[in-house]
């Protein structure tokens, strides 16, 4: 579990992982915090925030230096191995320990245990991706699987745990700026021609903008209207003050959502939508690429409508009334004509088989149990998997005397994202809006558990409640982002982004904590919950 507190963020998945542990598997956690997941693990490697690439390079170097690499797999299934070995050579155990803060013995033990295991998986989530090196972080973990052959076969693999229902399905359907349906490249002329013929339209031959680039375009005045579906960027974007200013400056903002979010409150038009996982028919794709049927359990309330119907009516209002009122099955059949990886997944098969894993090109194809199973074919089908030489680069929000503490945002067990779907019920374990700091830092700052303080970064300041955490590393602070109306944490999170993905560096802001002035005769409010 690398950068993944699955105990809180993916509790159902985590119960399955614990079954594996109870059956004899060993679990390692790599995380700056001793999380709830780490407490169940055999080993916890508490690395410095943003040093994941350094640790992965050090583990890779130790595997090679100890002769534990899978030579047969590397020779037959990969490219760039020699260059990679030369690249990681400087990452000795000692240097890796110095950069990451992880003891030499722990790095060595992880490298040997992973390389010699009969089966091994690397699971990760936002602790890896929400950095300005997010893509490189993932590639550094992929290197470890290529060194050892722990990919594309039963029990071994690379597992990016999805944080939201059907986020994989969104990518499948083309909700990415550089991909059309079925992960086909927008800039591929043949691919575009196929879609243009099917849809009777012209598709721009260049990649679109990711979310970060869209906000930059709003700032330049190049985007004047936004249609926001199922997203709450007013609260979810880093440097939220800037994001709100960009949205407020638009000529037109349309929001389609299931609740009146704070983004919807800014909108010129709000379309009340059905809740996809409970009130709609269709499909969803889970983390193992399994496409499954979704069936409405209840009808949408009030004036809420199916999102497909809203979009169809909007198209008609804009002058294209040829779409009609297609059923989910008809839409799925259209998808299959343009997406080869879904071609064999008939509606009837999805109903009968309970789900099929893509790619599934023909109706007699069983689906693909392993995405990278081709790497074990001889000869390898398609292109070999390349090693990646990725540089260790520290967080861009640098720690200084003015901002000496590192803030990382985390997920709480009882809450979800910006709280839109979870804030309306009470929870006996809900305490996530506080700022957790170490015992040592609390003493140095002269603050106590329960005290209100001012928390500042280079982007702004907010007031929060301190929660002293006994096992937290010195210099590290954390809080959730689930309660923006009471603790608007994204006003101060880092505005650095990964240039390859556009993902903001939520995990590594530089902050300081200042005590609030206390009126004469007024005691500090102190609790003893910690």
């Amino acid at each position: 579990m690398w950068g993944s507190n699955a105990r809180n963020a993916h509790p159902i998945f985590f119960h399955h992982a614990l079954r594996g542990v109870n059956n004899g598997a060993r679990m390692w956690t790599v995380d700056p915090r001793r999380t709830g997941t780490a407490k169940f693990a055999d080993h916890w490697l508490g690395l410095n925030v943003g040093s994941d690439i350094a640790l992965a390079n050090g583990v890779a170097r130790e595997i090679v230096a100890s002769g534990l690499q899978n030579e047969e797999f590397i020779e037959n299934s990969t490219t760039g191995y020699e260059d990679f070995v030369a690249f990681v050579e400087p990452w000795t155990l000692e240097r890796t320990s110095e950069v990451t803060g992880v003891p030499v013995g722990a790095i060595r033990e992880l490298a040997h245990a992973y390389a010699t295991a009969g089966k091994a998986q690397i699971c990760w989530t936002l602790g890896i991706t929400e950095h300005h090196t997010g893509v490189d972080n993932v590639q550094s973990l992929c290197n470890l699987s290529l060194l050892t052959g722990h990919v594309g076969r039963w029990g071994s693999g690379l597992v990016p745990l999805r944080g939201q229902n059907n986020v994989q399905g969104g990518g499948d359907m083309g909700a990415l700026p550089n991909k059309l349906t079925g992960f086909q490249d927008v800039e591929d002329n043949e691919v575009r021609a196929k879609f243009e013929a099917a849809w009777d339209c012209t598709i721009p031959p260049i990649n679109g903008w990711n979310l970060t680039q869209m906000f930059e375009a709003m700032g330049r005045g190049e985007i004047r209207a936004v249609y926001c579906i199922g997203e709450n960027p007013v609260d979810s974007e880093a440097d939220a003050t800037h994001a709100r200013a960009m949205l407020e400056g638009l000529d037109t903002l349309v929001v389609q959502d299931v609740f009146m979010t704070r983004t919807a409150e800014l909108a010129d038009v709000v379309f009340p939508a059905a809740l996809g996982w409970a009130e709609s028919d269709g499909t969803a794709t889970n983390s193992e690429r399994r496409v499954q049927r979704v069936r409405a359990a209840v009808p949408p309330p009030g004036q809420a409508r199916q999102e497909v119907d809203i979009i169809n009516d909007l198209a008609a209002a804009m002058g294209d009334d040829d779409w009609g009122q297609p059923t989910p099955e008809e839409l799925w059949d259209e998808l299959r004509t343009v997406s080869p990886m879904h071609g064999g997944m008939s509606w009837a098969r999805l109903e009968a088989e309970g789900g099929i894993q893509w790619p599934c090109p023909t109706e007699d194809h069983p689906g693909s149990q392993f995405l990278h199973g081709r790497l074990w074919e001889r000869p390898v089908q398609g292109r070999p998997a390349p090693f990646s030489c990725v540089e260790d680069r520290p967080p861009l929000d640098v720690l200084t005397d003015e901002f000496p503490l590192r803030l990382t945002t985390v997920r709480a067990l009882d809450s979800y994202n910006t709280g839109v779907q979870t804030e309306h019920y009470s929870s006996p374990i809900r305490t996530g809006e506080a700022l957790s700091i170490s015992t040592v830092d609390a003493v140095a700052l002269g603050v106590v558990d329960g005290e209100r303080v001012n928390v500042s970064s280079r982007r702004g300041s907010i007031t929060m409640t301190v929660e002293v955490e006994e096992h937290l590393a010195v210099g590290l602070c954390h809080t959730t982002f689930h309660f923006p109306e009471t603790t608007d944490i994204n006003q101060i999170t880092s505005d650095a982004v990964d240039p390859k993905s556009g993902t903001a560096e939520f995990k590594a802001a530089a902050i300081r904590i200042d005590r609030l002035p206390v009126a004469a005769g007024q005691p500090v409010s102190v609790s003893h919950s910690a």
Side-chain angles (χ1 to χ4, degrees), residues 317-362:
M318 296 172 71
D320 190 342
D321 55 4
D322 295 331
W323 292 19
Q325 296 294 322
T327 66
E329 182 176 357
E330 289 170 337
L331 290 167
W332 181 256
D333 283 338
E334 178 188 330
L335 161 78
R336 293 171 60 210
T337 68
V338 292
S339 175
M341 74 183 201
H342 294 98
M345 299 184 187
S346 69
W347 199 256
R349 281 192 69 188
L350 293 177
E351 288 275 10
E353 299 179 29
I356 304 170
Q357 291 170 281
W358 58 255
C360 178
T362 61

Side-chain angles (χ1 to χ4, degrees), residues 160-215:
L161 301 175
R162 297 307 200 180
Q164 302 171 34
N165 180 54
N166 201 31
V167 67
Q168 180 65 56
D172 293 1
M173 297 302 107
L176 296 166
N178 62 332
K179 300 292 182 181
L180 290 161
T181 311
F183 298 99
Q184 299 173 82
D185 291 336
V186 167
E187 296 187 340
D188 186 306
N189 293 334
E190 292 185 11
V191 166
R192 252 191 352 274
K194 175 181 67 175
F195 279 87
E196 290 174 343
W199 293 347
D200 190 24
C201 68
T202 300
I203 299 172
I206 57 173
N207 293 333
W209 287 322
N210 60 42
L211 187 57
T212 298
Q213 292 167 329
M214 289 170 68
F215 273 97

Side-chain angles (χ1 to χ4, degrees), residues 499-518:
K500 297 178 181 178
S501 68
T503 301
E505 193 164 50
F506 290 98
K507 301 304 183 189
I511 65 168
R512 75 168 181 269
I513 298 173
D514 297 305
R515 301 190 70 189
L516 295 176
V518 179

Side-chain angles (χ1 to χ4, degrees), residues 121-134:
Q121 301 174 18
I122 301 178
C123 304
W124 72 86
T125 47
L126 302 183
I128 283 293
T129 56
E130 287 187 342
H131 293 270
H132 78 103
T133 55

Side-chain angles (χ1 to χ4, degrees), residues 214-234:
M214 289 170 68
F215 273 97
E216 292 171 350
M218 292 180 213
R220 297 191 302 268
E222 295 181 42
I223 288 182
R224 302 303 310 153
V226 167
Y227 183 11
C228 180
I229 304 177
E231 185 80 3
N232 186 25
V234 158

Side-chain angles (χ1 to χ4, degrees), residues 80-343:
Y81 172 67
E82 297 299 334
D83 289 341
F84 176 71
V85 169
F87 178 79
V88 298
E89 173 57 29
W91 286 98
T92 63
L93 291 173
E94 292 72 21
R95 181 190 176 194
T96 304
S97 178
E98 181 180 352
V99 172
T100 65
V102 178
V104 164
I107 301 169
R108 180 189 297 111
E109 192 171 356
L110 171 59
H112 286 244
Y114 178 72
T116 59
K119 302 171 184 175
Q121 301 174 18
I122 301 178
C123 304
W124 72 86
T125 47
L126 302 183
I128 283 293
T129 56
E130 287 187 342
H131 293 270
H132 78 103
T133 55
V135 171
D136 288 348
N137 287 354
V138 173
Q139 290 179 324
S140 73
L141 300 185
C142 294
N143 288 333
L144 300 182
S145 72
L146 297 182
L147 272 181
T148 57
H150 286 315
V151 64
R153 57 191 176 91
W154 180 256
S156 287
L158 295 155
V159 189
L161 301 175
R162 297 307 200 180
Q164 302 171 34
N165 180 54
N166 201 31
V167 67
Q168 180 65 56
D172 293 1
M173 297 302 107
L176 296 166
N178 62 332
K179 300 292 182 181
L180 290 161
T181 311
F183 298 99
Q184 299 173 82
D185 291 336
V186 167
E187 296 187 340
D188 186 306
N189 293 334
E190 292 185 11
V191 166
R192 252 191 352 274
K194 175 181 67 175
F195 279 87
E196 290 174 343
W199 293 347
D200 190 24
C201 68
T202 300
I203 299 172
I206 57 173
N207 293 333
W209 287 322
N210 60 42
L211 187 57
T212 298
Q213 292 167 329
M214 289 170 68
F215 273 97
E216 292 171 350
M218 292 180 213
R220 297 191 302 268
E222 295 181 42
I223 288 182
R224 302 303 310 153
V226 167
Y227 183 11
C228 180
I229 304 177
E231 185 80 3
N232 186 25
V234 158
D235 291 326
S236 62
E237 281 298 286
D239 194 1
T241 301
H242 174 263
R244 290 164 194 166
M246 295 300 97
L247 293 171
E248 290 169 346
L250 294 169
D251 294 335
T252 305
L253 174 61
V254 179
V255 171
Q256 183 170 307
D257 215 316
V258 299
F259 290 115
M260 183 60 80
T261 65
R262 291 212 285 179
T263 304
E265 290 173 357
L266 294 181
D268 301 284
V269 178
V270 177
F271 295 142
L275 190 62
W277 54 265
E279 299 166 357
S280 302
D281 289 328
T283 61
T285 310
N286 71 5
S287 289
E288 60 173 357
R289 298 166 289 104
R290 189 181 303 278
V291 179
Q292 298 170 291
R293 283 277 286 108
V294 176
R295 301 163 185 82
V298 293
Q303 294 180 306
R305 303 179 62 210
Q306 297 298 332
E307 303 207 77
V308 168
D309 294 337
I310 296 172
I311 294 170
N312 286 345
D313 286 355
L314 182 61
M318 296 172 71
D320 190 342
D321 55 4
D322 295 331
W323 292 19
Q325 296 294 322
T327 66
E329 182 176 357
E330 289 170 337
L331 290 167
W332 181 256
D333 283 338
E334 178 188 330
L335 161 78
R336 293 171 60 210
T337 68
V338 292
S339 175
M341 74 183 201
H342 294 98

Side-chain angles (χ1 to χ4, degrees), residues 447-465:
V447 299
V448 294
D449 193 77
E451 183 175 345
R452 296 288 288 176
V453 296
N454 198 60
V455 184
S456 304
S457 74
R458 294 177 172 91
R459 289 151 295 281
S461 299
I462 61 174
T463 302
M464 298 185 70
T465 300

